[in-house]
Amino acid sequence: MAFFDELTKKAKDVAAVAADKAKDVAEVAKINVAIAGEQREMDKNYRTIGEWFVSEYEGEIPDAVRELVDAVTASKARIAELEAGKPSKEEEPFAEEAAPAQKKCPICGAESDSKFCPQCGAPMGE
């Protein structure tokens, strides 16, 4: 019986250590999530400061940041071009272009656009 008592004690010790490690990992994960949240908030605030600066000093941008402001302006123009090129919601894309090609299973004959047959699991081939 001493063997089983000792085995039980060791199992309890291992379980306690595992529980402590899991608690530590969970706490570190919680801290990492909080840090990431604060970094996102800080990035948002920096972005707001930058937008204010550019709008406030539009004609007199210092040379140190002129290239960055020009890059942002070029990006805004490119976004406007891309937005203008988007099809309107009334225009629907062609169904033939949107639907992937159907392949026929060499084993059971089922048609699918996946790599493996949904019926029998065989590779669909090329």
Side-chain angles (χ1 to χ4, degrees), residues 87-95 97:
S88 65
K89 292 187 179 186
E90 291 129 20
E91 298 175 16
E92 292 189 25
F94 294 105
E97 292 178 342

Side-chain angles (χ1 to χ4, degrees), residues 18-82:
D20 288 342
K21 294 243 185 220
K23 190 184 302 181
D24 291 345
V25 167
E27 197 161 319
V28 167
K30 192 184 300 184
I31 291 170
N32 286 338
V33 167
I35 289 170
E38 287 298 321
Q39 287 175 332
R40 279 191 303 275
E41 188 66 26
M42 189 172 63
D43 289 343
K44 183 178 87 176
N45 290 333
Y46 274 131
R47 191 176 329 110
T48 303
I49 290 169
E51 289 172 356
W52 171 83
F53 179 83
V54 169
S55 68
E56 187 71 21
Y57 298 101
E58 191 171 336
E60 47 195 76
I61 301 292
D63 291 336
V65 294
R66 183 167 308 284
E67 287 181 24
L68 294 172
V69 172
D70 291 343
V72 167
T73 304
S75 292
K76 284 182 178 181
R78 180 70 180 138
I79 289 171
E81 288 174 14
L82 293 171

